[in-house]
Amino acid sequence: MNTTAIAPAAAAADPLRLTLVVGSNRHGRFGPVVADWLLGRIRDRDDLVAEVVDVAETALPMSLEPTPEATAALSRITPKLARADAFVVLTPEYNHSFPAGLKNLVDWHFTEWQAKPVGLVSYGGLSGGLRAVEHLRQVFAELHAVTVRDTVSFHNAGASFDDRGALRDPSGPDTAAKTMLDQLVWWGSALREARANRPYGG
């Protein structure tokens, strides 16, 4: 039997490793409510396996100085980014953009993002965080990552969820999440195969 011929197909059938980046570290943040809902949608699928990097649980200095404290923090974060086949970045909108803590986490890494797809989920007031999403697209393009076209956004997010963290009307967000995750799986599978066959050299 020619085992080398079937290995790529077998690998392609493996679930994609997805890292969800929770981008807010503000006191009293709403992000964990949205993250829990999103993780539920991801865990309903058999083509994705998720783990989480939470900006609020990191201790990365803004100076980008590789101090012992930064090295210790990176030892918990970087492997989750490096082994991911795809990402979802969850962001609020602060002053028409995304949080400084999220930008800092992104900037501490480079090759970990390359040639991988990124889905974007946002929340906020009237804009639903969409201005933050558009800024993140520019950042990830510079890092040689591919942002998928469709997003999930929550306008007036606090009113969208009840006191138990459940969506009052899940039909629209659930549909949007499925569309985004389907695109993420397509790109994640294609780029995983491409990286295996020819390492990205950009």
Side-chain angles (χ1 to χ4, degrees):
M1 178 182 292
N2 184 357
T3 56
T4 58
I6 64 172
D14 292 340
L16 290 174
R17 294 165 296 187
L18 183 148
T19 296
L20 169 62
V21 178
V22 181
S24 173
N25 58 358
R26 177 177 283 183
H27 176 71
R29 64 193 180 137
F30 193 72
V33 174
V34 184
D36 286 346
W37 166 80
L38 183 60
L39 284 167
R41 305 290 71 72
I42 293 168
R43 290 167 179 159
D44 284 343
R45 304 175 64 108
D46 58 9
D47 50 5
L48 292 169
V49 175
E51 57 183 340
V52 176
V53 169
D54 191 337
V55 169
E57 297 174 0
T58 68
L60 293 171
M62 300 295 285
S63 65
L64 300 180
E65 180 184 0
T67 62
E69 293 78 12
T71 300
L74 289 169
S75 71
R76 298 187 296 271
I77 300 165
T78 304
K80 293 182 179 181
L81 303 181
R83 64 177 166 252
D85 297 307
F87 303 97
V88 172
V89 176
L90 169 61
T91 185
E93 183 176 312
Y94 296 169
N95 301 319
H96 282 225
S97 193
F98 57 94
L102 174 56
K103 183 63 161 63
N104 192 43
L105 183 144
V106 170
D107 287 349
W108 271 97
H109 299 89
F110 183 65
T111 57
E112 291 79 8
W113 308 111
Q114 284 188 335
K116 297 178 183 180
V118 181
L120 297 165
V121 178
S122 64
Y123 60 95
L126 291 176
S127 74
L130 292 176
R131 291 171 292 206
V133 164
E134 292 309 307
H135 288 177
L136 279 167
R137 289 192 189 279
Q138 297 174 55
V139 172
F140 282 114
E142 181 65 18
L143 293 168
H144 299 253
V146 179
T147 56
V148 300
R149 189 266 184 194
D150 285 71
T151 65
V152 182
S153 62
F154 290 95
H155 305 258
N156 296 316
S160 299
F161 292 82
D162 64 21
D163 293 340
R164 296 175 292 109
L167 277 170
R168 300 183 189 279
D169 181 4
S171 57
D174 284 355
T175 298
K178 181 182 185 307
T179 298
M180 181 199 69
L181 293 171
D182 285 349
Q183 292 174 7
L184 200 66
V185 167
W186 190 95
W187 280 104
S189 300
L191 291 172
R192 179 173 65 179
E193 181 179 349
R195 291 194 310 274
N197 292 330
R198 185 171 64 182
Y200 185 73

